[in-house]
Amino acid sequence: MGRRDLLAVRDSRFSRDSLVVAGVMRWFLRAARPLPWRGRGRSGYAGLVSEAMLQQTQVGRVVDRYRAFLLRFPSVRVMAAAREQSVLAMWSGLGYYRRARLLHAAARLVVSEFGGRVPRTVSSLLRLPGVGRYSAASIASLVYGKREPLVDGNVLRVLARLDARSGRTGDPGLVRWAWSRSRELVSLVEPASAAGVLNEGLMELGAVVCTPRNPRCSACPVSSHCRALELGRTGSIPASRQAPVRKRVHHHAIVVWRDGRVLLEQRPASGMWSRLWQVPTVEAGRVLGVAELGRRLARGGDGVGLGVGHGLSLRKCDRFVHQTTHRHVTFHVFLGKVGGSVGSAGSHPGGRVWRSWDQACRLPMSSAQRRVLEVAQTDA
Ligand code: SF4
């Protein structure tokens, strides 16, 4: 990037909009962070991967994962041919595993329906599992240079502040307005193939300058056109969305080590963290004491199937909270000791297995369950 011709805008009257467009693009070409999915040689496949990873995960956590993922699955064909468990294992730590499953399904569709080439238009991209309006517009404009509007949370905030537009983040009316505003701005970019520079510039501006709290207006390239700044309303535009009400649940995680191996089971095929691995875990709406936990385990309740028949003894060693979008999960970590043998006859779909630490680390597991293992290893 860095070409002067990208800075041209269609509106020769130099309206406020055209000055905003030019200001954002010029700033982005100068100040863009050197992220691994940016720059020359960006492919549709890399765009699919980065879009999937960046949904609901911060850039800093994605960078290393993205590189490792592309080393393991360097092309859409390689990923399409891989087993789902291998894809999930490479996703470990990023959370929201549904995204990995959808990405895998998208890769398979690209191979089966599009000859192994990621489609270039928004309408075709929308046929891929997990690709919504935002991701489709992002790949079409940033990777393939299509003139497409693009709105994510960062863009919405910048546009709302520039125009001092009232509304709550996530309000459908405000979102509709932002898409239409983005369409107006992107129509001013010349040549059309540079539309991605404006889109990515607005996203970058929202990520590093026009942040939700305490925007750095003194460093903003378009501050002279910002109505929220003029009105002293940068702190209240857009109004924050109402905090979600999270259901409170308690997960009692039982870590059983034997001969350097840990007992693991696979979660059911549906629901939260589906098909990921974990230590035997009893879920409840309240905290269970050791005695009650022992009784539930003895009954094989919650599919754990560890019981008094195995001479199980439990010692609580830690507790921590893990928040998901809809749940406030308190993890209660127990160290368990068993006398008899514990085979794979549990009622969990994948049964239970003994695995070494290294093997456990390679299995797809939620970050909360990884933390359980780390806590227990320290305390063992
Ligand atoms: Fe955001 Fe401040 Fe720039 Fe306005 S001047 S767009 S509030 S950073």
Side-chain angles (χ1 to χ4, degrees):
M1 291 189 292
R3 305 189 306 270
R4 279 184 173 278
D5 59 344
L6 293 182
L7 307 182
V9 290
R10 274 183 166 177
D11 189 342
S12 58
R13 291 169 291 127
F14 290 99
S15 65
R16 172 178 172 269
D17 278 1
S18 66
L19 293 172
V20 165
V21 167
V24 170
M25 291 172 74
R26 191 176 292 128
W27 170 82
F28 180 68
L29 294 173
R30 194 182 67 244
R33 290 168 294 173
L35 299 174
W37 47 86
R38 286 181 172 162
R40 290 178 193 282
R42 165 149 58 180
S43 71
Y45 169 62
L48 264 185
V49 174
S50 63
E51 286 306 325
M53 287 189 169
L54 288 164
Q55 285 166 29
Q56 295 166 301
T57 306
Q58 288 172 339
V59 165
R61 283 180 60 208
V62 168
V63 169
D64 288 343
R65 298 284 172 172
Y66 171 82
R67 290 197 179 101
F69 196 91
L70 285 190
L71 276 177
R72 171 69 180 78
F73 306 113
S75 73
V76 71
R77 288 187 187 280
V78 173
M79 183 167 48
R83 287 186 314 125
E84 183 185 89
Q85 287 286 302
S86 306
V87 175
L88 293 179
M90 287 306 294
W91 200 268
S92 282
L94 282 172
Y96 302 101
Y97 286 82
R98 187 165 173 271
R99 293 177 299 170
R101 293 197 174 91
L102 290 169
L103 176 62
H104 190 219
R108 292 191 161 171
L109 196 77
V110 167
V111 170
S112 65
E113 300 278 318
F114 295 95
R117 282 185 293 278
V118 174
R120 292 171 169 256
T121 62
V122 166
S123 59
S124 300
L125 283 159
L126 284 171
R127 289 180 53 200
L128 303 180
V131 174
R133 186 181 186 187
Y134 162 76
S135 296
S138 175
I139 295 169
S141 75
L142 272 54
V143 177
Y144 295 125
K146 306 280 185 198
R147 191 194 292 281
E148 290 290 345
L150 176 58
V151 175
D152 69 351
N154 285 325
V155 175
L156 182 138
R157 185 170 56 256
V158 173
L159 295 181
R161 284 175 175 167
L162 280 171
D163 284 7
R165 179 87 182 186
S166 297
R168 220 177 255 285
T169 303
D171 276 358
L174 184 61
V175 173
R176 264 196 310 277
W177 170 84
W179 277 94
S180 127
R181 221 30 210 114
S182 167
R183 187 173 295 283
E184 286 169 9
L185 294 181
V186 91
S187 73
L188 299 174
V189 177
E190 280 297 346
S193 59
V197 179
L198 172 65
N199 286 335
E200 206 166 11
L202 285 167
M203 288 193 279
E204 184 82 342
L205 190 62
V208 302
V209 176
C210 192
T211 45
R213 288 198 204 98
N214 306 319
R216 296 187 300 118
C217 301
S218 58
C220 178
V222 286
S223 57
S224 56
H225 309 291
C226 180
R227 293 193 174 129
L229 180 62
E230 193 182 320
L231 298 170
R233 295 181 58 202
T234 58
S236 60
I237 294 179
S240 9
R241 67 170 85 226
Q242 277 169 333
V245 179
R246 292 192 172 95
K247 185 177 174 187
R248 288 183 174 266
V249 291
H250 296 268
H251 286 201
H252 307 77
I254 321 296
V255 185
V256 185
W257 288 99
R258 180 189 279 170
D259 301 330
R261 295 189 302 163
V262 64
L263 187 64
L264 299 174
E265 66 186 15
Q266 196 173 21
R267 290 183 64 83
S270 59
M272 190 167 68
W273 296 320
S274 55
R275 293 200 293 273
L276 299 189
W277 290 83
Q278 63 181 17
V279 302
T281 300
V282 177
E283 301 176 17
R286 61 188 172 81
V287 183
L288 304 179
V290 168
E292 185 169 0
L293 193 52
R295 279 196 296 278
R296 290 203 184 195
L297 290 166
R299 289 201 304 269
D302 300 288
V304 174
L306 272 171
V308 287
H310 305 105
L312 177 70
S313 66
L314 297 173
R315 175 169 70 82
K316 189 160 184 177
C317 69
D318 199 12
R319 191 183 76 147
F320 64 87
V321 169
H322 181 89
Q323 305 253 33
T324 70
T325 311
H326 302 294
R327 287 187 177 80
H328 175 103
V329 188
T330 305
F331 272 86
H332 306 269
V333 186
F334 291 82
L335 279 179
K337 281 207 169 80
V338 287
S341 69
V342 181
S344 56
S347 56
H348 268 255
R352 293 188 307 277
V353 293
W354 292 101
R355 288 289 180 265
S356 68
W357 175 260
D358 285 349
Q359 289 169 328
C361 289
R362 286 198 294 273
L363 287 173
M365 203 176 270
S366 69
S367 56
Q369 284 284 340
R370 284 201 188 286
R371 185 168 169 189
V372 165
L373 279 183
E374 277 156 20
V375 164
Q377 201 190 37
T378 322
D379 203 87

